[in-house]
Amino acid sequence: MYDDEEQGELLDRFKELWIAHPAFMVTFTSVIVVFLSWTIRDSLKIRDIQQKHVFITGCDSGFGNLLAQRLHRKGFIVIAACLTEKGCQDLKACTSPTLKTVILNVTNPKSIDKAVEYVAAETGNAGLHGLVNNAGRATPIGPTDWLDMEDFHRVLDVNLIGLIEVTLKFLPLIKKARGRIVNVASVMGRLAFGGGGYCLSKCGVESFSDSLRRDMQYFGVKVSIIEPGFFKTGVTSLEIIEKDLHRLWNRLTPDVRCSYGDKYFDKYLKVQRLSMKTFCSADISKVTNCMEHALAARYPRTRYGAGWDAKLFWLPLSYAPAFLSDILLKLLLPRPLAGGRALAKNKVDV
Ligand SMILES: *[C@@H]1O[C@H](CO)[C@@H](O)[C@H](O)[C@H]1NC(C)=O
């Protein structure tokens, strides 16, 4: 590329820079060295994945389904847990008999016990290399005063309480293998908006995972948190969300409905559709790539922001002062239009 003379000149120029600006050059060189070492460290892989078992929850569709197929192709011994029998059959149909499936309902303690028993028998003395807590649901989701306790329970029981129970019951198998736990949180666990149990549950997953990581480090167990932005999966399915919103809206008391105004519901749906179309990425492999890294890298990361919206918008916004994130979210999200104001005015008139 360079002849000897040019190379000599470059070297001389570099030496001059070192002498003229030592502080700058030390900083510059350190940044490059740190960046290179981090990149190399991050790219190192574990060995013998053909002998390592990974257990994934929520494999009926979405991230879990794709992850099961990918890890299976990569050579891991995959045990995929599905909520339904159909989920198991569909997954088996598109993989090979070496991929094992098991039925799991994370809100049912007996169902978890059965899954643990099955995985303990499959893994034997080796223990479990990876547990991926992926099962989750988003609905009921909606303005806070549209919801009752049952609505909160339905989400929290799956996304948080279920995840904790699965983790506690699988922990002995994980410790045996000095394995990994990969918990699926969300950018909405870092920045809460859109009422309901979803943000609460994901914030709880963040917090539970942080404690777990600190407690388990002495046993060689690593804990990673995945924070996906918006992706097209069953969780963000407009059909399911809209159907449930209709249910919530229709059961509102006249007072609450009046405070939002008659036109609010249609506007809310419209904004919901538009924001899902704008934000949701169809490429869910961005999320499964993070999970794969957490399971196959020698040094898994603590947190993985998945998707550009997460990396460049939601996660940075979660560090912003509340007044700033409030303004931005107010611009993005639907709000009670005429309804709220009309009610306030009536009150004044009375
Ligand atoms: C999961 O278990 C809970 C608690 O036993 C039960 O109420 C629920 O119907 C179950 N869900 C499915 C899909 O089987």
Side-chain angles (χ1 to χ4, degrees):
M1 226 156 37
Y2 299 107
D3 58 34
D4 284 351
E5 203 175 313
E6 272 174 356
Q7 237 172 33
E9 253 173 54
L10 266 173
L11 214 61
D12 286 346
R13 180 90 191 93
F14 195 69
K15 275 184 202 151
E16 274 166 35
L17 270 172
W18 262 102
I19 293 159
H21 310 282
F24 170 77
M25 290 305 281
V26 166
T27 317
F28 178 77
T29 316
S30 316
V31 167
I32 297 219
V33 167
V34 167
F35 176 76
L36 283 180
S37 341
W38 185 85
T39 309
I40 292 166
R41 183 181 190 271
D42 195 55
S43 66
L44 297 177
K45 295 276 179 289
I46 55 165
R47 274 181 235 150
D48 304 330
I49 57 172
Q50 280 76 12
Q51 284 137 44
K52 296 205 187 299
H53 290 81
V54 177
F55 179 77
I56 313 163
T57 70
C59 293
D60 302 72
S61 62
F63 306 145
N65 188 280
L66 182 63
L67 181 69
Q69 297 183 43
R70 288 207 155 188
L71 293 182
H72 176 65
R73 229 174 293 147
K74 224 175 169 163
F76 278 106
I77 311 168
V78 176
I79 307 172
C82 299
L83 180 61
T84 62
E85 185 57 49
K86 186 178 181 304
C88 290
Q89 280 164 4
D90 291 353
L91 189 55
K92 270 188 194 142
C94 66
T95 51
S96 75
T98 48
L99 180 137
K100 301 283 195 301
T101 59
V102 58
I103 296 265
L104 174 65
N105 175 347
V106 299
T107 62
N108 186 332
K110 280 199 194 108
S111 172
I112 300 175
D113 292 340
K114 261 193 190 159
V116 172
E117 217 173 279
Y118 179 81
V119 174
E122 286 288 319
T123 53
N125 284 333
L128 182 60
H129 168 73
L131 163 65
V132 183
N133 278 308
N134 161 74
R137 63 179 296 164
T139 54
I141 196 164
T144 303
D145 57 350
W146 296 15
L147 303 162
D148 61 20
M149 281 315 294
E150 163 79 25
D151 295 325
F152 278 89
H153 273 297
R154 273 163 62 194
V155 180
L156 285 163
D157 286 351
V158 176
N159 295 7
L160 182 59
I161 305 300
L163 178 143
I164 294 173
E165 187 163 359
V166 168
T167 306
L168 293 183
K169 286 182 169 161
F170 275 95
L171 214 41
L173 298 181
I174 296 278
K175 277 171 88 172
K176 205 193 242 177
R178 296 174 75 81
R180 285 116 194 256
I181 299 169
V182 181
N183 289 337
V184 180
S186 163
V187 291
M188 289 175 87
R190 300 279 300 271
L191 183 73
F193 56 92
Y198 191 74
C199 300
L200 281 65
S201 68
K202 294 303 188 181
C203 187
V205 169
E206 295 270 352
S207 172
F208 174 70
S209 310
D210 280 336
S211 302
L212 185 69
R213 182 184 65 251
R214 290 170 183 143
D215 291 343
M216 286 303 119
Q217 59 183 324
Y218 311 104
F219 303 99
V221 172
K222 303 202 166 80
V223 180
S224 296
I225 305 168
I226 313 284
E227 296 168 339
F230 285 79
F231 287 90
K232 280 200 182 76
T233 68
V235 166
T236 53
S237 150
L238 267 177
E239 209 180 311
I240 296 174
I241 292 178
E242 285 189 13
K243 199 171 146 226
D244 197 64
L245 279 170
H246 273 284
R247 174 185 72 89
L248 297 176
W249 177 253
N250 289 332
R251 84 171 179 195
L252 287 185
T253 60
D255 268 5
V256 179
R257 198 180 304 181
C258 178
S259 71
Y260 282 87
D262 282 341
K263 298 197 182 79
Y264 180 73
F265 188 70
D266 289 332
K267 291 209 167 94
Y268 188 88
L269 286 190
K270 238 182 241 164
V271 177
Q272 195 96 17
R273 272 178 216 143
L274 186 73
S275 52
M276 287 293 184
K277 264 189 206 128
T278 321
F279 281 115
C280 275
S281 160
D283 183 11
I284 64 171
S285 69
K286 282 182 189 150
V287 178
T288 55
N289 286 343
C290 296
M291 296 161 155
E292 278 183 50
H293 187 274
L295 292 163
R298 191 122 123 236
Y299 303 100
R301 299 183 212 161
T302 302
R303 280 188 163 72
Y304 295 83
W308 290 114
D309 63 326
K311 284 193 178 71
L312 298 180
F313 185 70
W314 299 114
L315 295 176
L317 190 60
S318 73
Y319 292 105
F323 83 90
L324 200 65
S325 44
D326 284 4
I327 291 174
L328 263 170
L329 289 170
K330 198 170 171 185
L331 290 173
L332 286 175
L333 297 172
R335 56 175 127 171
L337 287 168
R341 251 175 272 146
L343 187 81
K345 212 166 106 210
N346 283 345
K347 288 253 163 74
V348 173
D349 287 345
V350 172

